[in-house]
Amino acid sequence: MNGGFWSMGGYARFVWPCFGFALAILIWNLWSARRFLAASQVRTARVLMMAAGRRS
Amino acid sequence: MATAAIAIGYGTLAGLVFAPPDYQQGDAFRIVYVHAPAAWLSLFSYTTMALAGAIALIWRIKVGFAVAAATAPIGASFTLLALVTGSLWGRPMWGTYWAWDPRLTSELILLFLYVGVMSLRPAFEDPARGDRAAALLAIVGVVNVPIIHYSVLWWNSLHQGPTVAKLGKPSMDPSMLWPLLSMFLGFMLFYGAVLCIRLRGEVLNRERQAHWVREAV
């Protein structure tokens, strides 16, 4: 990896932010989807526990 | 998800290191490796959302609304990625970050449509009405998808014409094309994996009172 690679032929300030932003979008998608699922599971468990409490 | 990571990893490495610079655009062309798959996914995700909404409205299959709700934020994020990377590509190639070009403008409208669909659903007190309204907007907005795709052919556009999805032979050298195809595959697999995670959450949210959920959890 020499300086030529990192400078991207003079286009480094356009190329690297694109790949950085793409990585951020991929990470955000995965993180937010998992967070959404975890929150749904917690809410569902809470509803089921309340329902079980009412029955007993 | 692992296959998606491998495909994206290979595509990124081969696109940044092994693919030769373009004879006209130099190394700036490497932006295509994130821009084109993101733009393709923005259209694919919207079409999925509209189809799922139509299936839910016509045949009253409830999971269609869940699919439409799950795909909207993913599609919106990839539309934003396509716009930002396109803008960063436009600066060195066209001399400007933004132009009211047919392709750019219709892609921006797509982002607004995603935001509209996501905002419309929770705007109703009755979630079922919100689902129907959002599905209707998604179906109406799908007219924008062919406009985006064919805008470079129908109008004079700064944006370059089709390179990969051409009838006949793509106009890219295989050393540039294979990493791009790998990125397309990786992005599609990633989309599928994230959609499944979101869909599980959507179904749990919508069906938590249902008998089968009590038995399944």
Side-chain angles (χ1 to χ4, degrees), chain A residues 5 8-9 11 14-16 18-19 21-22 25-26 28-30 32-33 36-37 40-41 43-44 47-48, chain B residues 1 16 25 27-28 30-31 34 74 77-78 81 88 91-92 190 197-198 200-202 204-205 208 214:
Chain A
F5 171 74
M8 279 286 151
Y11 294 112
F14 303 109
V15 174
W16 294 118
C18 284
F19 280 84
F21 191 55
I25 288 287
L26 293 177
W28 177 82
N29 264 298
L30 197 56
S32 69
F36 178 68
L37 175 60
S40 304
Q41 285 169 333
R43 279 196 295 268
T44 305
V47 167
L48 293 179
Chain B
M1 189 58 80
L16 285 174
Q25 302 186 21
D27 285 305
R30 296 182 201 281
I31 293 171
V34 286
I74 311 170
S77 68
F78 280 99
L81 178 61
L88 284 164
R91 183 71 184 92
F190 179 83
I197 298 171
R198 277 198 170 273
R200 280 177 64 194
E202 279 291 339
L204 272 182
N205 274 344
R208 70 168 63 104
R214 285 177 210 169

Side-chain angles (χ1 to χ4, degrees), chain B residues 12-55:
Chain B
T12 306
L13 183 73
L16 285 174
V17 179
F18 301 127
D22 183 72
Y23 82 105
Q24 280 183 321
Q25 302 186 21
D27 285 305
F29 104 92
R30 296 182 201 281
I31 293 171
V32 76
Y33 293 111
V34 286
H35 174 71
W40 155 253
L41 210 49
S42 71
L43 300 182
F44 181 82
S45 177
Y46 195 91
T47 309
T48 304
M49 184 171 75
L51 275 176
I55 287 168

Side-chain angles (χ1 to χ4, degrees), chain B residues 175-188:
Chain B
S175 61
M176 296 169 163
L177 184 63
W178 282 110
L180 184 58
L181 294 178
S182 179
M183 289 297 268
F184 272 109
L185 177 70
F187 271 49
M188 283 299 288

